[in-house]
């Protein structure tokens, strides 16, 4: 990461990190001093699968994606990180190699903490350690749900479920519609649900013809009735 700059270390910036919510200024000042601050351009790797190093990264601004690649080179995207989130903590906790790739999606400011400093932080801040445990429990639940979806749902329903997740994140309006702006590229959606771009394009076309969604501009789509999309997913899942 030779293009990194040296932004000012700021405990104020760390107030944006959800993991640090409620920590006092003295504690945040110490964390800021213990971090290596890095500014990376878009599409720059932060770390790669199988690499050494247990640093924990706090995403102060920008966006990043956790991803990996299949044996035939197809990208499988796990999730995107927004400003305020952290990642890299698994290797810090167990001392093992990185389990996936993480790459910036846009220019991003990161505060990077060594595994030794991170473990010491957890020891001296029990409330933060408890928050970490809850985060890990949530991660296990999400991964379990993803494995079940990939194992039991067809491509069509996996796409419906991903669109539903994006709609809920964007916010559902009073009329039960939701604007996804921008809609991820078809290839990106394909990576998230483990299929190919052509299949995503076909299924989005089918949803448009059924009136479940409609295009708005060049890069956005509106889910006309989120409840209808929920019903499609629930009918297959048996919810």
């Amino acid at each position: 990461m030779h293009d990194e700059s040296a932004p000012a270390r700021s405990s104020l910036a760390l107030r944006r990190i959800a993991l640090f919510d409620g920590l006092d200024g003295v504690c945040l000042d110490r964390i800021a001093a213990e971090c290596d601050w890095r500014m990376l351009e878009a599409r720059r790797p932060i770390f790669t699968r199988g690499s050494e190093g247990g640093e924990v990264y706090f995403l102060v601004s920008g966006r990043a994606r956790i991803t990996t690649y299949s044996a035939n080179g197809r990208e499988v995207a796990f999730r995107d990180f927004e400003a305020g989130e952290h990642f890299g903590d698994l290797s810090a906790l167990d001392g093992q190699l990185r389990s996936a790739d993480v790459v910036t999606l846009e220019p991003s400011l990161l505060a990077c903490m060594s595994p030794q400093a991170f473990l010491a932080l957890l020891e001296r801040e029990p409330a933060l350690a408890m928050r970490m445990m809850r985060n890990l429990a949530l991660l296990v639940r999400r991964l379990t749900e993803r494995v079940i979806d990939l194992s039991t749902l067809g491509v069509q329903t996996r796409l419906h479920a991903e669109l539903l997740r994006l709609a809920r994140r964007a916010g559902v309006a009073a009329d039960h519609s939701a604007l996804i702006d921008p809609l991820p590229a078809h290839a990106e959606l394909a990576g998230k649900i483990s299929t190919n771009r052509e299949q995503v394009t076909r299924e989005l076309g089918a949803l448009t013809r059924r009136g479940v969604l409609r295009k708005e501009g060049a890069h956005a789509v509106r889910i006309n009735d989120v409840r209808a999309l929920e019903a499609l997913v629930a009918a297959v899942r048996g919810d």
Side-chain angles (χ1 to χ4, degrees):
M1 288 183 276
H2 301 293
D3 59 339
E4 61 199 42
S5 62
R9 301 180 178 190
S10 168
S11 59
L12 181 61
L14 291 180
R15 294 186 184 277
R16 306 172 191 171
I17 306 301
L19 185 65
F20 297 151
D21 185 44
L23 297 183
D24 61 34
V26 174
C27 183
L28 289 175
D29 285 340
R30 180 172 178 179
I31 294 171
E34 291 174 331
C35 286
D36 178 17
W37 293 71
R38 303 174 182 177
M39 187 72 201
L40 297 182
E41 297 300 321
R43 299 294 174 184
R44 295 300 177 92
I46 299 173
F47 56 74
T48 58
R49 181 181 181 185
S51 60
E52 297 181 344
E55 294 85 1
V56 181
Y57 293 85
F58 307 105
L59 187 58
V60 176
S61 65
R63 294 172 60 236
R65 172 169 298 154
I66 181 168
T67 185
T68 191
Y69 294 88
S70 65
N72 62 7
R74 182 163 57 85
E75 182 180 11
V76 179
F78 290 100
R79 61 161 296 193
D80 293 350
F81 294 106
E82 306 291 337
E85 297 188 85
H86 71 280
F87 50 88
D89 44 302
L90 293 184
S91 290
L93 292 172
D94 65 13
Q96 301 298 305
L97 301 178
R98 300 294 191 184
S99 58
D101 300 345
V102 178
V103 61
T104 57
L105 296 177
E106 58 189 51
S108 300
L109 174 60
L110 300 115
C112 171
M113 177 177 278
S114 72
Q116 296 81 9
F118 184 70
L119 293 176
L121 173 62
L122 295 182
E123 288 183 357
R124 69 176 185 261
E125 295 292 340
L128 191 149
M130 181 61 67
R131 189 172 296 154
M132 272 292 303
M133 291 174 63
R134 294 194 183 101
N135 288 343
L136 291 173
L138 178 60
L139 174 63
V140 171
R141 290 183 181 276
R142 285 176 173 171
L143 290 176
T144 300
E145 182 176 297
R146 184 182 177 105
V147 169
I148 291 172
D149 283 354
L150 291 174
S151 301
T152 63
L153 302 182
V155 171
Q156 183 184 61
T157 306
R158 296 205 301 271
L159 178 59
H160 295 171
E162 179 62 20
L163 290 173
L164 185 58
R165 185 189 67 82
L166 292 171
R168 288 169 173 166
R169 188 176 72 180
V172 181
D175 63 354
H176 306 290
S177 71
L179 180 66
I180 303 174
D181 185 16
L183 178 72
H186 293 190
E188 182 179 329
L189 284 171
K192 289 186 176 182
I193 64 172
S194 192
T195 187
N196 56 67
R197 179 181 57 81
E198 293 76 14
Q199 185 69 31
V200 168
T201 300
R202 284 195 295 271
E203 296 299 340
L204 288 175
L207 288 173
T208 301
R209 290 190 295 273
R210 294 172 63 177
V212 175
L213 61 82
R214 68 175 185 270
K215 292 190 65 176
E216 292 201 359
H219 305 291
V221 298
R222 181 174 295 278
I223 308 297
N224 292 320
D225 190 344
V226 173
R227 296 171 302 177
L229 193 58
E230 290 172 339
L232 289 173
V233 175
V236 177
R237 280 180 169 167
D239 294 346

